[in-house]
Amino acid sequence: MSVLRYNMENINYPLLYYTLPDESLLGILVGTAHKVVDKDLKSLKSTLSGHLQKQYKRHDEYDIFDIVEPKLKIIDITVRPTYQDERSAYPMKDAVKVPVAIIYGESEDGGYECYLPMFNRKFHYFDTKQFNTLVRHFCTHLLTELTPEDLYRHIMRSRPQMDTVTLRVNYSREFDYDKQYKPEYKTLTSMADRYPYSKAIRRNISAFPDAAWELEHKVTETIEKLINSRSNVLLVGKPSVGKSSVLKQAIRKITSKKREAQFDFTFWQIMPQRITASAKWLGEWQENCETLIEELGSANGILWIVDFIRLLQTGGEGPEDSVASFMSSYLREGKLQMVGEVTPEQLDSIKRLLPGFAEQFQLVKIDELPEQKIQNILQKLADFSDNNLNIKIKKEALALSYRLLQRYYPYNSFPGKAVNFLGQCINDAQLNEADKVGKKAIIRNFIKQTGMPELFLRDDLLLDSDGLKAYFSQNIIGQPVAVEQMVGTIKVFKAGLNNPHKPITTMIFAGPTGVGKTASARAMADYFFGEGQTQSPLIRIDMSEFQDPSMIYRFIGTGREVGKLVKDIRERPFSVLLLDEVEKAHPVIFDSLLAALDEGILVDAYGRVTNLRNTIIIMTTNLGASNRQSIGFDKNARPDYGGAMRGFFRPEFLNRIDAIVTFNALNNDDIRLITNKELNDLKEREGFKKRQITLNFTEALMAHLADIGFDERYGARPLQRAIEQEVVSPLAHFLNKNNDVEGRQLVVDFVGEGLSIS
């Protein structure tokens, strides 16, 4: 705030002070953001006066208070305490009277001003007849936003008294800001980045601008709360709903208009981890935090927290000794102003884990936009691309991208998911030197993201039921029930009839070991999500590693670290999750899966959501397989898989499973087919391909491998080991001894007691 020239050398600020239960005093310096607790009135005035004088001497700045003869008045405002949640408000039966202290009087310009110190608010008025009406209107509005607990705190306060704190100024002195005072914010600049970024560190690599289209009213609301109310602000909304764009647009408006509007705010973006990253000894991060807050005050800075929920995880062992807890008192006293973004789930967690911290923030709620406004944004994105990037996005491409994003990314919101996806399409077009984005480009980029085949993404492509069944029959040998289940799942998904609020499907594969349960899951993953993927779309977790209840943290994760399940799903949201030998895990693990099986989401203690709605969940089990007398070729004994699972799993767990698929024991024909498949896969190995060698395997060899590669206890599981030992190892020895076999055909036979290669 620039210095004004008064015809006096003293500026008098009213001091409103309350007596606390321990006989100390809480002082509020009216017209400023300063609040102090001290042992008596003399100490209180001395502390505030010294601080004002120090700030004036250092910066040649001070807060202006221009009421000539301020007066104190206590008025009682009648309000009805009300509890509120996202769905409704619940008023209490009786109204209460809340005493509110006001400081008012005539200002030097001939008007009138009224200060509400406990709310750090003020208003102007020009007619004394309006005074009572305006005061009651403002106070009622402010009090109705408070929780019942806060209202009762106001009621329980002692009656305040008023005194004066004086600041002495000298208007004759010269002050050269450039030469005499150049602020240095060493801690602030080492931990945080000034926003908007300079060109040197600009981080926005998106093809589109950070425009808050169709959310301009939320930008205005954010500015009002940040600047006019000087409140701490949280933007609350689902992922990708536009919180970041609103906040960035608000900051740009504030910083671009600060000269004509007399704004002198600065914004600093920080990640919570940076506050504690350099701390080496006990108490160091707290000291750094205090310095950070002091420098923010000097810079008139507002702290923008990225990944806001981490404030509760950083610093100590839990939320109660975290950075968020440490900062709460500074927020409460007005020494720190903060802004951030959270989801509704994260906000609920903050209120539950650290309610005193959550109370310091005003909320700007951002709901998902209706379809018409989303379509308007998509068209604006297309216009921007055409006018600024010289890449045209066709209308049919926009319509297709909207449909695909709406169906396959239901857990993210528009416009964020459209901006991200279309931005990737434009980047791809620029790399390929294309001047337009059509339906083919949309399909190609969607396949790249999800791994799903084009069949699922295009309504004009019909499903070939016979070809589909043939694909799974070739990969899942001897299991017609499993094949039918796979085919049925794909038909439902292709028709768009799967429940969008659950995983694509959840199944238990039951049967003896070595009969193809894992191979079936792999075949499903390759068909569903394997199109052009560099990572395997099969996430396999051995559940025997989680036999102890304490292993729940390794499985799901703790507040600070994510578990194996969460980590893998976040990396590959479009995948098949295979929970192998699920019955070996502890029952507490089953309980942790209930929400994932039922709603397709996992929410941790800090409100972070892991989404499994684009995941196929398959669990394998051997339960019931031991009931039969023998395994392998004996088909007389029928194991009771259903009864075994009902006796082992709780009903609420089994009720969330879409299908229980039973796998049969294998017969002679199945083993021969599996052997043939494994040998055909062997032909595709690099050593044969690069030498252009063609392999032919005789019937005698296949019969021999089928015989030694099958075990009644382990099914076909030993077959791969037998092929490695009996075929691969001799072939490797042969190739290393013969250099003249390139482009040749090798016949591999089993003669007598050994392998023959010719």
Side-chain angles (χ1 to χ4, degrees):
M1 188 177 292
S2 59
V3 177
L4 298 182
R5 308 279 176 166
Y6 288 85
N7 295 323
M8 58 181 183
E9 291 190 355
N10 289 343
I11 304 224
N12 296 314
Y13 296 93
L15 173 63
L16 193 70
Y17 61 94
Y18 294 80
T19 302
L20 301 178
D22 62 355
E23 301 302 322
S24 61
L25 299 181
L26 165 65
I28 302 174
L29 199 59
V30 181
T32 76
H34 303 313
K35 297 180 182 179
V36 175
V37 175
D38 220 320
K39 59 182 178 179
D40 53 38
L41 182 58
K42 182 179 179 181
S43 301
L44 197 65
K45 294 176 66 174
S46 175
T47 300
L48 288 167
S49 178
H51 178 74
L52 290 175
Q53 210 69 48
K54 179 181 176 182
Q55 292 296 104
Y56 169 66
K57 183 178 180 181
R58 186 178 181 187
H59 304 301
D60 201 34
E61 293 183 352
Y62 53 85
D63 292 288
I64 295 176
F65 183 84
D66 58 358
I67 296 180
V68 180
E69 295 182 3
K71 301 171 185 175
L72 169 64
K73 185 175 183 179
I74 311 294
I75 62 171
D76 290 330
I77 304 296
T78 302
V79 294
R80 189 182 299 277
T82 303
Y83 289 98
Q84 293 185 342
D85 58 24
E86 293 182 356
R87 294 177 295 180
S88 185
Y90 308 95
M92 299 180 68
K93 179 179 179 182
D94 299 320
V96 296
K97 289 184 177 181
V98 183
V100 179
I102 58 174
I103 305 293
Y104 68 101
E106 186 175 358
S107 60
E108 290 197 346
D109 61 5
Y112 300 90
E113 286 192 349
C114 177
Y115 286 81
L116 308 171
M118 291 307 297
F119 300 101
N120 197 22
R121 300 287 291 271
K122 72 172 183 176
F123 63 86
H124 302 272
Y125 61 102
F126 300 96
D127 187 348
T128 54
K129 294 179 181 179
Q130 298 176 330
F131 176 71
N132 287 329
T133 302
L134 289 172
V135 167
R136 293 190 176 276
H137 170 75
F138 267 83
C139 292
T140 302
H141 174 71
L142 293 169
L143 290 171
T144 52
E145 292 184 347
L146 299 181
T147 64
E149 290 81 3
D150 287 335
L151 287 175
Y152 286 115
R153 288 193 196 102
H154 278 286
I155 295 172
M156 296 301 293
R157 285 195 178 101
S158 63
R159 189 178 185 86
Q161 300 180 64
M162 189 174 75
D163 207 302
T164 302
V165 173
T166 301
L167 170 67
R168 295 183 62 80
V169 296
N170 179 6
Y171 299 118
S172 62
R173 74 176 179 137
E174 295 293 331
F175 193 93
D176 189 332
Y177 279 90
D178 295 327
K179 295 182 180 179
Q180 298 187 33
Y181 175 66
K182 186 177 181 180
E184 293 184 3
Y185 308 127
K186 292 183 179 179
T187 301
L188 182 58
T189 53
S190 68
M191 290 187 181
D193 298 320
R194 181 81 176 265
Y195 190 88
Y197 302 125
S198 66
K199 291 182 179 179
I201 61 171
R202 184 167 176 80
R203 297 176 180 175
N204 182 19
I205 60 173
S206 172
F208 298 115
D210 288 318
W213 289 318
E214 302 292 343
L215 289 169
E216 290 81 1
H217 60 295
K218 292 298 179 181
V219 174
T220 303
E221 182 182 351
T222 302
I223 295 173
E224 163 69 25
K225 292 183 184 296
L226 277 175
I227 303 307
N228 297 342
S229 303
R230 292 307 305 266
S231 302
N232 304 297
V233 177
L234 276 181
L235 286 82
V236 184
K238 294 179 179 179
S240 303
V241 80
K243 303 186 291 297
S244 296
S245 295
V246 168
L247 183 51
K248 291 176 181 177
Q249 183 78 347
I251 293 174
R252 282 195 294 270
K253 283 194 172 186
I254 292 169
T255 53
S256 64
K257 293 184 177 181
K258 64 181 181 181
R259 289 187 176 179
E260 57 265 33
Q262 294 185 343
F263 294 159
D264 59 348
F265 301 100
T266 60
F267 289 86
W268 301 81
Q269 192 180 66
I270 189 171
M271 298 190 71
Q273 303 94 304
R274 293 178 69 177
I275 297 175
T276 59
S278 60
K280 298 178 181 178
W281 58 81
L282 187 64
E284 185 179 3
W285 74 257
Q286 290 89 339
E287 183 179 341
N288 292 341
C289 203
E290 288 176 342
T291 306
L292 173 73
I293 293 169
E294 182 179 342
E295 292 181 359
L296 274 169
S298 300
N300 204 13
I302 298 174
L303 199 60
W304 174 8
I305 306 293
V306 181
D307 196 4
F308 193 87
I309 194 67
R310 278 193 175 271
L311 276 179
L312 281 73
Q313 302 170 255
T314 307
E317 294 297 324
E320 64 283 349
D321 53 3
S322 63
V323 173
S325 179
F326 183 82
M327 288 181 166
S328 290
S329 61
Y330 292 94
L331 295 171
R332 190 162 47 248
E333 295 168 8
K335 296 179 180 178
L336 171 64
Q337 189 175 6
M338 191 183 292
V339 63
E341 313 158 38
V342 293
T343 64
E345 294 83 4
Q346 289 173 341
L347 180 61
D348 290 341
S349 295
I350 294 170
K351 289 179 177 179
R352 172 172 51 82
L353 297 170
L354 207 61
F357 180 67
E359 291 171 1
Q360 307 308 317
F361 290 86
Q362 289 196 25
L363 307 181
V364 176
K365 295 184 178 180
I366 302 178
D367 298 321
E368 189 164 6
L369 294 169
E371 182 176 350
Q372 184 57 51
K373 290 189 175 182
I374 294 171
Q375 297 294 348
N376 292 342
I377 292 174
L378 292 177
Q379 189 56 54
K380 288 179 180 178
L381 292 173
D383 293 342
F384 179 90
S385 177
D386 193 11
N387 297 330
N388 296 274
L389 305 174
N390 297 321
I391 295 177
K392 183 178 181 62
I393 304 177
K394 293 186 174 181
K395 285 189 176 181
E396 58 267 27
L398 283 181
L400 177 60
S401 62
Y402 176 80
R403 181 181 69 80
L404 294 178
L405 292 168
Q406 183 79 340
R407 179 179 178 190
Y408 296 111
Y409 286 91
Y411 45 87
N412 278 348
S413 300
F414 286 105
K417 58 184 176 183
V419 172
N420 293 334
F421 178 70
L422 291 174
Q424 292 173 4
C425 294
I426 288 175
N427 290 337
D428 186 59
Q430 290 173 329
L431 289 173
N432 295 315
E433 299 182 351
D435 59 358
K436 62 178 179 291
V437 174
K439 292 176 69 174
K440 289 184 178 179
I442 298 295
I443 293 290
R444 183 173 62 251
N445 278 276
F446 213 86
I447 291 173
K448 190 187 300 182
Q449 279 194 21
T450 65
M452 289 192 294
E454 192 172 353
L455 171 71
F456 289 159
L457 308 180
R458 289 178 52 184
D459 291 336
D460 57 321
L461 293 181
L462 298 179
L463 184 67
D464 179 6
S465 298
D466 293 337
L468 179 65
K469 187 171 183 179
Y471 168 84
F472 281 105
S473 295
Q474 290 171 3
N475 288 278
I476 308 172
I477 296 170
Q479 306 297 342
V481 175
V483 169
E484 289 298 325
Q485 185 64 47
M486 302 290 183
V487 171
T489 297
I490 290 170
K491 287 181 177 179
V492 171
F493 188 78
K494 168 62 178 172
L497 300 181
N498 59 298
N499 189 337
H501 304 296
K502 295 181 63 176
I504 295 173
T505 190
T506 56
M507 296 183 282
I508 292 181
F509 286 177
T513 188
V515 296
K517 299 191 292 296
T518 301
S520 299
R522 186 176 294 110
M524 191 69 154
D526 290 340
Y527 187 89
F528 240 95
F529 307 114
E531 192 75 22
Q533 294 299 293
T534 56
Q535 277 189 302
S536 170
L538 179 68
I539 298 173
R540 183 176 179 180
I541 299 178
D542 185 356
M543 299 302 283
S544 64
E545 298 178 10
F546 305 97
Q547 298 184 28
D548 189 271
S550 63
M551 294 297 179
I552 183 68
Y553 300 111
R554 277 189 55 214
F555 186 62
I556 301 294
T558 61
R560 294 176 182 273
E561 298 180 1
V562 298
K564 181 171 177 56
L565 172 64
V566 171
K567 178 177 180 294
D568 289 342
I569 292 296
R570 287 180 181 175
E571 290 177 353
R572 289 172 281 174
F574 290 85
S575 60
V576 170
L577 173 62
L578 176 62
L579 304 178
D580 212 5
E581 297 186 295
V582 67
E583 78 279 3
K584 293 185 178 179
H586 192 274
V588 72
I589 303 293
F590 306 147
D591 293 341
S592 71
L593 289 170
L594 293 179
L597 297 173
D598 193 36
E599 301 174 5
I601 57 172
L602 287 171
V603 183
D604 68 11
Y606 291 90
R608 293 170 302 185
V609 177
T610 301
N611 201 288
L612 294 91
R613 290 175 180 172
N614 285 320
T615 304
I616 295 171
I617 300 178
I618 296 175
M619 291 166 274
T620 68
T621 179
N622 296 328
L623 287 172
S626 60
N627 292 345
R628 60 189 305 149
Q629 297 299 318
S630 62
I631 302 175
F633 303 103
D634 181 9
K635 296 194 174 185
N636 296 322
R638 303 293 298 175
D640 183 11
Y641 295 116
M645 279 184 278
R646 285 192 298 272
F648 185 84
F649 295 112
R650 291 165 55 187
E652 52 266 38
F653 180 82
L654 283 179
N655 286 342
R656 287 168 167 80
I657 304 300
D658 295 326
I660 296 176
V661 183
T662 57
F663 281 67
N664 302 319
L666 301 172
N667 59 34
N668 282 318
D669 293 336
D670 297 333
I671 297 301
R672 290 292 297 271
L673 289 172
I674 293 172
T675 304
N676 187 55
K677 178 180 180 300
E678 293 291 336
L679 290 175
N680 285 331
D681 291 342
L682 177 62
K683 295 177 183 179
E684 302 300 316
R685 294 195 182 182
E686 181 187 2
F688 302 122
K689 301 288 285 187
K690 73 179 182 180
R691 293 181 174 90
Q692 298 180 344
I693 293 175
T694 303
L695 294 175
N696 285 330
F697 301 103
T698 66
E699 288 292 325
L701 174 66
M702 286 192 283
H704 171 67
L705 291 173
D707 182 49
I708 66 171
F710 177 76
D711 186 278
E712 290 187 351
R713 292 171 298 171
Y714 302 113
R717 194 173 296 276
L719 180 61
Q720 289 181 335
R721 183 169 63 250
I723 291 175
E724 293 294 324
Q725 294 173 350
E726 299 287 327
V727 179
V728 175
S729 183
L731 276 171
H733 182 70
F734 178 84
L735 293 177
N736 288 326
K737 288 182 64 178
N738 298 274
N739 295 324
D740 58 343
V741 294
E742 290 192 13
R744 306 285 289 277
Q745 183 180 108
L746 298 182
V747 177
V748 186
D749 193 7
F750 183 77
V751 180
E753 297 296 325
L755 198 72
S756 170
I757 302 173
S758 59

